[in-house]
């Protein structure tokens, strides 16, 4: 049992490392796969322990609140167990805390259990909205939501259910009528509007693009994500609008994140100007500039920033604050003068009318290369663009097990040369 306890402890630790790597600045897909291999080896060890390990380690962890242990317990418990075990795990979902439910959902999303989708589909008829939402999210992640069920649940009163239903509609067509989409684009719930915008953009609906621009102008919960969509779909006017928004200190960091995906010279030059700001702004400005131009910010192109000797004292209201280091805090602080000198020497190689990705002219091949080899931190938006440019035909699930991601990338690579490169804004409504 000591050996299995070690498997359990190591798996719970590696789960956090893996989740962070999936979004990490310093990991690419290959490096994440190596970390994932270690995680799966420990999880397989727990599965081999059988009923005795399930009784001693896995079931007690399900009653706890430790996210890593919950994930490992669910993943290992349902791997090769009878259906009654899966039923018992799912019964926890409606009453679990949000933290536990999130770990439970992640375990179901990446589970390798055969026939899991077939076991989940009947639960879409549950009377519990929390259960319906959880099952829809898992099935959408796994690409297995029945189209008719998703369409029926678009009218659900629970916003989480509606969002999951929109994400689960899969390859697009005329499944969602314009009247229904218009209703969802005008929904009062930001997450519902945003999901409807993304669905509509994949379908090439002009109303969705108009709603996206409108959302991006605000400061609501969906504004930041809408600005990213505006960045990857927009034309010169949209880039100009985003550049102007950098003057707003409240949303500047969000806007800088979006600007890095525009690929435009005007955005790069705006970011160069902002490298002289405080480190939190300069880091993001440097990241966006690098994403467009391809300049690696190391050696003479970055500066050392003196670290705080200790964390500031916490107030009583801050005791529940998340102290996990943010990925953006790991970004280098650019040496603005050196970067400006490099740009002065290199600017002639970049056309103001073109779009760039890592210093290369934007193309389907460049997009797939960035997804295959680039930093995990930026891949989620790049995968979103791939889905938009292929109208949902090629989706890379960037939070899935890496074997699935590699397979999805291979499928997309076969059509890389045919991926359209012009601004998507020009295609909406055609």
């Amino acid at each position: 049992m000591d050996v299995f306890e070690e498997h359990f402890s190591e798996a719970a630790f590696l789960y956090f490392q893996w989740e962070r790597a999936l979004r990490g600045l310093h990991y690419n897909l290959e490096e994440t796969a190596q970390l994932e291999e270690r995680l799966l080896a420990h999880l397989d060890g727990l599965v081999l322990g059988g009923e005795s390990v399930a009784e001693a380690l896995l079931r007690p962890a399900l009653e706890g609140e430790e996210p890593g242990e919950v994930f490992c317990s669910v993943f290992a418990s349902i791997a090769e167990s009878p259906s009654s075990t899966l039923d018992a795990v799912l019964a926890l979902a409606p009453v679990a805390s949000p933290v536990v439910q999130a770990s439970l959902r992640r375990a179901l999303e990446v589970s390798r259990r055969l026939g899991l989708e077939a076991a989940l589909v009947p639960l879409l008829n549950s009377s519990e909205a929390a259960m319906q939402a959880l099952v829809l999210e898992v099935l959408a992640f796994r690409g297995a939501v029945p189209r008719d069920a998703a369409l029926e649940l678009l009218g659900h009163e629970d916003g989480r259910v509606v969002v999951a239903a929109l994400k689960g509609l899969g390859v697009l067509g005329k499944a969602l009528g314009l009247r229904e989409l218009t209703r969802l684009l005008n929904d009062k719930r930001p997450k519902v509007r945003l999901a409807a915008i993304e669905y509509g953009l994949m379908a090439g609906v002009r109303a969705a693009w108009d709603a996206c621009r409108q959302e991006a102008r605000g400061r609501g919960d969906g504004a930041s994500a809408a600005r990213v969509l505006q960045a990857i779909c927009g034309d010169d006017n949209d880039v100009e609008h985003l550049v102007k928004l950098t003057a707003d200190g409240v949303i500047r960091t969000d806007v800088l994140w979006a600007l890095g995906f525009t690929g435009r010279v005007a955005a790069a030059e705006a970011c160069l100007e902002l490298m002289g700001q405080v480190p939190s702004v300069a880091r993001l400005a440097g990241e966006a500039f690098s994403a467009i131009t391809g300049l690696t910010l190391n050696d003479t192109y970055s500066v050392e920033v003196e670290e705080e000797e200790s964390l500031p004292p916490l107030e009583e209201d801050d005791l529940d604050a998340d102290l996990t280091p943010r990925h953006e805090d790991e970004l280098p602080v650019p040496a603005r003068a050196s970067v400006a000198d490099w740009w002065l020497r290199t600017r002639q190689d970049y056309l103001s009318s073109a779009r760039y990705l890592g210093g290369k002219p934007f193309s389907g091949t460049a997009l797939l290369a960035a997804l295959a080899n680039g930093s995990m931190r930026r891949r989620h938006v790049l995968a979103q663009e791939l889905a938009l440019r292929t109208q949902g035909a090629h989706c890379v699930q960037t939070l899935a097990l890496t074997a699935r991601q590699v397979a999805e990338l291979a499928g997309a690579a076969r059509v890389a040369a045919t991926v359209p490169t012009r601004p998507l804004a020009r295609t909406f409504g055609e």
Side-chain angles (χ1 to χ4, degrees):
M1 189 57 68
D2 289 345
V3 173
F4 290 114
E5 288 176 352
E6 184 174 352
H7 278 312
F8 191 59
S9 175
E10 286 295 311
F13 171 76
L14 288 169
Y15 165 68
F16 280 112
Q17 301 302 308
W18 176 66
E19 286 282 23
R20 187 164 176 80
L22 285 169
R23 304 163 176 81
L25 173 65
H26 302 298
Y27 280 85
N28 60 23
L29 189 60
E30 182 179 355
E31 292 161 341
T32 303
Q34 294 170 359
L35 178 61
E36 179 185 287
E37 184 178 9
R38 293 169 56 202
L39 168 63
L40 292 176
H42 286 294
L43 290 170
D44 287 342
L46 292 173
V47 174
L48 291 173
E51 182 60 26
S52 61
V53 169
E55 184 68 29
L57 294 177
L58 305 185
R59 289 179 191 135
L62 282 175
E63 300 173 3
E65 292 284 325
E66 210 291 313
E69 292 185 358
V70 171
F71 170 87
C72 296
S73 177
V74 173
F75 188 96
S77 293
I78 68 173
E80 297 178 357
S81 62
S83 58
S84 58
T85 302
L86 177 60
D87 293 340
V89 167
L90 290 170
L92 296 172
V95 296
S97 68
V99 171
V100 169
Q101 193 176 107
S103 293
L104 191 154
R105 186 192 72 244
R106 281 297 282 147
L108 292 170
E109 286 175 345
V110 301
S111 173
R112 296 182 292 183
R113 179 190 176 101
L114 297 177
L116 178 59
E117 294 86 351
L120 292 177
V121 168
L123 295 175
L124 292 175
N125 296 318
S126 171
S127 59
E128 295 274 357
M131 176 65 81
Q132 287 178 299
L134 175 72
V135 170
L136 266 176
E137 288 165 351
V138 172
L139 290 173
F141 186 95
R142 298 173 73 93
V145 179
R147 174 68 62 87
D148 291 343
L151 288 170
E152 183 178 345
L153 289 169
L154 288 176
H156 201 284
E157 61 182 12
D158 189 290
R160 184 180 164 191
V161 173
V162 178
V163 170
L166 278 166
K167 292 182 177 180
L169 278 173
V171 178
L172 306 177
K174 300 298 182 181
L176 188 57
L178 185 58
R179 179 179 298 179
E180 182 76 352
L181 180 60
T182 301
R183 177 182 69 79
L184 294 169
L185 289 171
N186 290 291
D187 197 281
K188 294 181 179 180
R189 296 162 293 189
K191 290 183 179 179
V192 172
R193 287 199 306 274
L194 193 62
I197 285 170
E198 187 169 359
Y199 184 98
L201 292 180
M202 280 196 282
V205 176
R206 181 73 194 187
W209 177 232
D210 293 339
C212 177
R213 280 175 157 169
Q214 179 65 32
E215 193 79 26
R217 284 195 287 268
R219 294 191 182 185
D221 292 343
S224 178
R227 285 191 283 269
V228 171
L229 289 169
Q230 186 178 21
I232 62 181
C233 296
D235 55 21
D236 291 343
N237 291 330
D238 294 288
V239 177
E240 182 181 354
H241 171 72
L242 288 169
V243 167
K244 288 180 179 178
L245 288 181
T246 60
D248 188 334
V250 176
I251 61 173
R252 182 178 294 139
T253 54
D254 278 350
V255 175
L256 282 170
W257 172 249
L259 278 179
F261 296 100
T262 64
R264 307 300 179 82
V265 167
E269 293 182 330
C271 291
L272 179 60
E273 291 300 316
L274 289 168
M275 289 181 198
Q277 297 283 331
V278 295
S280 59
V281 173
R283 285 187 173 98
L284 289 166
E287 179 188 30
F289 182 89
S290 180
I292 297 168
T293 66
L295 176 65
T296 301
L297 298 180
N298 56 17
D299 300 328
T300 60
Y301 299 116
S302 65
V303 297
E304 293 291 332
V305 176
E306 187 174 340
E307 298 290 339
E308 294 275 352
E309 291 187 4
S310 61
L311 290 171
L314 288 174
E315 301 292 339
E316 184 175 349
D317 292 343
D318 296 332
L319 294 179
D320 294 328
D322 183 5
L323 299 181
T324 304
R326 300 179 306 168
H327 294 294
E328 52 263 44
D329 294 335
E330 301 173 4
L331 291 165
V333 176
R336 186 182 181 282
S338 297
V339 175
D341 181 63
W342 176 86
W343 184 240
L344 185 64
R345 291 181 279 108
T346 314
R347 170 67 179 84
Q348 61 186 4
D349 298 331
Y350 295 81
L351 300 175
S352 297
S353 58
R355 185 183 178 198
Y356 296 90
L357 179 56
K360 299 177 181 179
F362 181 83
S363 66
T365 300
L367 180 59
L368 266 294
L371 276 165
N373 306 310
S375 167
M376 302 296 279
R377 170 173 159 81
R378 304 183 66 80
R379 292 176 72 249
H380 313 291
V381 175
L382 298 178
Q384 188 177 36
E385 177 156 11
L386 175 66
L388 289 171
R389 289 189 175 276
T390 60
Q391 293 196 303
H394 291 280
C395 300
V396 177
Q397 182 47 264
T398 54
L399 296 179
L401 293 177
T402 54
R404 172 181 168 183
Q405 296 192 47
V406 169
E408 289 170 341
L409 283 169
R414 290 193 287 270
V415 300
T418 64
V419 172
T421 58
R422 64 174 175 162
L424 287 172
R426 298 177 187 172
T427 69
F428 298 135
E430 294 182 359

